Amino acid sequence: MKNVLGVEIPEYIEGIGKLEPYQGVWKSIIEDEVPSTNISRTLKAKKAHTSKVCSSLEDAIEKCKPFDGMTVTCHHHLRGGDGVLMQVIEILDKMGIKDITLASSSLTSAHDGLVPYVEKGMITKIFSSGIRGALGDVISSGKLKYPAIIHSHGGRVRDFLTGRIKPDLSVLAASAADVEGNATGSHGPSAFGSMGYADIDARYSKNVIIVTDNMVEYPCVPSTIRQHFVDYVVNIDSIGDTSKIASGTTRITSSPMDLRIARIAATVIEQSGLFKDGMSFQVGAGGASLAVAKFLREDMKRKSIQGSFMIGGVTSYGVDMLNEGLFKAIFDVQSFDAAVSTSVLNNPKHVEITCDQYANPNNCGAMTNKLDVVVLGALEVDVDFNVNVITGSSGEIRGASGGHSDTASGANLSVIVCPSFRGRLPIIMDRVHTVVTPGESVDVIVTERGVCVNPAKPDLAVALKKAGLKVVDIKDLKKEVDSMTGIPAKKKLGDKIVALVEYRDGTIIDVIKNVTNLG
């Protein structure tokens, strides 16, 4: 069967189940009538004054009675510095546990060590919003037993609440916790900020272990994770390296070309009709995307604009804008910089939110649905405005869906910033290799060679032209770039489906097939 984008989708995959094809951004979400299963966690009673503290992580996991075929989850707030997930998998391997479904909120370079566990079949299924590095390569080459499921951040919450992901064991890192499991990421030697992605795991997993390297006196305040969701608590030497939270994708670029693109994008926002008091704003990961905030900050000061709120992954730059009064509040689901933790802890206008509140499509109060402007990056875009943020130039899995499709679907203005080519490879394609965010929800693509406006927004194109911006037809821009770079050879892929890209409503928007020249 084919989805609305013409992608051939299998009706059923062994080990995954029946698949539903993507039909449109809002087609399967019917207001007030969203079908959803109420999933509740079984709370285990404990006698009064019974200690939850375990002598080791191995002891805590053993008390959770692990079994073959179980689903294990962790969060990725420590990003490239995470030191917990690998410990969990190594312990389960020593216990002889097999056929594990891993459903971490995202997987980074810190998890390259998962490769041998995939290759030997200990980990057979993966759900995640992002897969990178050596793990991306091993999945791309077809060595994971069942296709990986790549979902958005909001889609992960939806998958929990509908029962598609049923966690048996969640091990959640915290920078401070007490003996009952009240936990936070906002203070302590390894403070990392918001724990917005961990909340859904704590609420709905059958067994929850809090792991910290900073056990504090009861009660731990403030607490993101509350004690009545926690079964066991473990104090370990280190939960990870917070210096590796910020990466190239979470720092403002210094590239002159990227800064030029960011300046143009800020002008697009200023001329969109949304640049006014009370606007809401999010900027995605990616150096050029984050640079837009730099220029927006200057423009807001120049015109004395005060926004309503910022949301999403938050950098110290966003905190500066909050402190300067450029926005009334920040709603923080993930901190992209460990330094943000101080603001999370001390500023009541810096509000830590759960991913459920942030982006769950089956939620009547999702913050993404209140967004005016979002600025996002891209690995590839195509002439239909579809965006790829997952697969690289050879078709390998190397990125993250994250909140890309969540925010684009809800924002009044979704802006994609990217160069027209990287190296000698054009970025504008006839069709992107992998559709993550559909063109239906993309309004503007900003490159150094011009601004492309979705034909569904003719009034916006007129406004930008009047402002003196170079507005070009995306097909004409593609021809210009192709004349400079040449048209790259078609990717050589196999026939095996190695990953399914799940749109935020649970339907399948694209499939990823194996790369034949990797490993």
Side-chain angles (χ1 to χ4, degrees):
M1 59 182 175
K2 290 186 177 181
N3 67 18
V4 73
L5 299 179
V7 178
E8 190 70 39
I9 307 292
E11 292 187 16
Y12 179 89
I13 291 182
E14 185 70 33
I16 301 295
K18 184 180 177 182
L19 305 180
E20 295 292 334
Y22 167 76
Q23 295 301 327
V25 171
W26 293 103
K27 292 295 184 183
S28 69
I29 299 176
I30 305 170
E31 190 173 358
D32 297 330
E33 296 184 7
V34 178
S36 184
T37 304
N38 289 323
I39 307 296
S40 60
R41 188 173 93 88
T42 302
L43 300 178
K44 295 180 284 295
K46 290 184 181 291
K47 292 182 179 180
H49 303 289
T50 301
S51 176
K52 294 181 181 179
V53 178
C54 296
S55 59
S56 66
L57 181 54
E58 186 169 4
D59 179 36
I61 291 174
E62 190 170 350
K63 287 181 177 179
C64 293
K65 300 178 181 178
F67 58 92
D68 293 349
M70 70 187 302
T71 296
V72 177
T73 78
C74 294
H75 68 69
H76 75 291
H77 287 287
L78 285 151
R79 295 178 67 83
D82 175 51
V84 172
L85 174 56
M86 288 309 307
Q87 291 187 55
V88 173
I89 296 301
E90 289 164 6
I91 289 168
L92 290 170
D93 184 49
K94 288 178 182 177
M95 292 179 175
I97 305 301
K98 302 182 292 296
D99 193 24
I100 286 174
T101 295
L102 178 61
S104 182
S105 54
S106 196
L107 296 164
T108 72
S109 58
H111 307 122
D112 283 351
L114 293 173
V115 168
Y117 300 105
V118 169
E119 290 179 329
K120 73 179 185 178
M122 179 209 179
I123 297 172
T124 54
K125 295 181 190 175
I126 289 177
F127 288 80
S128 188
S129 72
I131 301 171
R132 305 167 179 84
L135 182 63
D137 286 347
V138 80
I139 294 172
S140 297
S141 63
K143 294 180 181 178
L144 183 66
K145 183 174 181 179
Y146 300 108
I149 306 291
I150 298 170
H151 49 59
S152 71
H153 286 323
R156 181 175 192 256
V157 178
R158 180 205 163 275
D159 280 349
F160 270 64
L161 296 178
T162 58
R164 182 160 193 194
I165 297 176
K166 298 178 180 178
D168 298 298
L169 172 64
S170 293
V171 183
L172 307 176
S175 64
D178 62 34
V179 294
E180 286 296 321
N182 296 298
T184 182
S186 66
H187 60 86
S190 300
F192 52 82
S194 174
M195 286 184 73
Y197 295 132
D199 175 81
I200 193 74
D201 305 66
R203 288 178 182 271
Y204 297 105
S205 182
K206 292 179 181 176
N207 297 279
V208 176
I209 300 171
I210 291 293
V211 177
T212 187
D213 52 14
N214 180 38
M215 191 78 82
V216 298
E217 289 186 8
Y218 184 89
C220 175
V221 290
S223 57
T224 304
I225 306 300
R226 303 298 176 87
Q227 64 190 53
H228 58 295
F229 294 121
V230 177
D231 299 296
Y232 302 106
V233 184
V234 183
N235 191 19
I236 63 175
D237 292 335
S238 173
I239 60 171
D241 183 354
T242 58
S243 71
K244 294 181 180 179
I245 294 174
S247 67
T249 62
T250 58
R251 293 192 180 102
I252 292 178
T253 182
S254 59
S255 160
M257 184 177 69
D258 285 346
L259 288 172
R260 170 173 163 73
I261 293 169
R263 175 63 269 180
I264 296 169
T267 304
V268 168
I269 295 168
E270 185 175 354
Q271 300 300 323
S272 68
L274 296 167
F275 187 70
K276 56 189 177 183
D277 285 341
M279 76 169 181
S280 54
F281 177 68
Q282 175 169 346
V283 61
S289 304
L290 292 169
V292 177
K294 171 182 183 295
F295 294 110
L296 193 71
R297 177 187 187 184
E298 296 170 359
D299 296 341
M300 292 176 76
K301 288 181 177 180
R302 175 169 48 86
K303 291 204 168 184
S304 298
I305 298 290
Q306 184 183 42
S308 172
F309 65 86
M310 296 181 71
I311 62 169
V314 176
T315 64
S316 54
Y317 207 85
V319 171
D320 290 341
M321 294 175 77
L322 175 67
N323 291 336
E324 291 169 347
L326 297 179
F327 287 93
K328 294 180 180 178
I330 285 179
F331 294 98
D332 188 347
V333 71
Q334 178 183 24
S335 304
F336 280 160
D337 183 334
V340 172
S341 61
T342 302
S343 179
V344 175
L345 178 64
N346 295 319
N347 191 341
K349 295 180 181 179
H350 191 143
V351 184
E352 186 177 4
I353 61 171
T354 69
C355 194
D356 189 2
Q357 182 180 348
Y358 170 53
N360 178 10
N362 292 4
N363 182 318
C364 62
M367 297 301 299
T368 52
N369 290 342
K370 292 185 65 66
L371 254 182
D372 286 317
V373 179
V374 65
V375 181
L376 302 163
L379 293 174
E380 296 174 337
V381 298
D382 68 27
V383 295
D384 294 316
F385 288 74
N386 299 307
V387 181
N388 169 26
V389 287
I390 289 291
T391 48
S393 59
S394 298
E396 77 283 7
I397 299 169
R398 51 161 289 189
S401 173
H404 206 283
S405 65
D406 296 317
T407 52
S409 71
N412 285 320
L413 177 68
S414 58
V415 180
I416 306 297
V417 291
C418 60
S420 60
F421 62 90
R422 292 187 181 97
R424 296 295 299 176
L425 294 174
I427 300 305
I428 305 169
M429 322 295 290
D430 285 320
R431 178 62 175 263
V432 292
H433 179 258
T434 307
V435 180
V436 175
T437 297
E440 179 185 349
S441 61
V442 173
D443 298 312
V444 182
I445 295 171
V446 179
T447 77
E448 82 286 2
R449 294 182 174 275
V451 176
C452 304
V453 180
N454 193 315
K457 295 274 184 138
D459 293 344
L460 178 60
V462 170
L464 298 183
K465 286 178 182 177
K466 281 185 177 179
L469 288 168
K470 182 182 178 182
V471 177
V472 296
D473 184 283
I474 194 167
K475 293 181 181 178
D476 292 338
L477 182 57
K478 180 185 184 302
K479 289 178 183 177
E480 178 186 344
V481 174
D482 286 348
S483 69
M484 299 167 54
T485 64
I487 300 174
K490 191 174 181 180
K491 299 176 178 69
K492 295 180 180 179
L493 302 173
D495 296 322
K496 182 180 181 179
I497 295 174
V498 297
L500 300 167
V501 181
E502 187 182 83
Y503 191 61
R504 60 197 303 265
D505 61 3
T507 59
I508 304 302
I509 195 167
D510 214 337
V511 301
I512 300 174
K513 294 190 176 179
N514 66 302
V515 179
T516 56
N517 61 347
L518 282 177

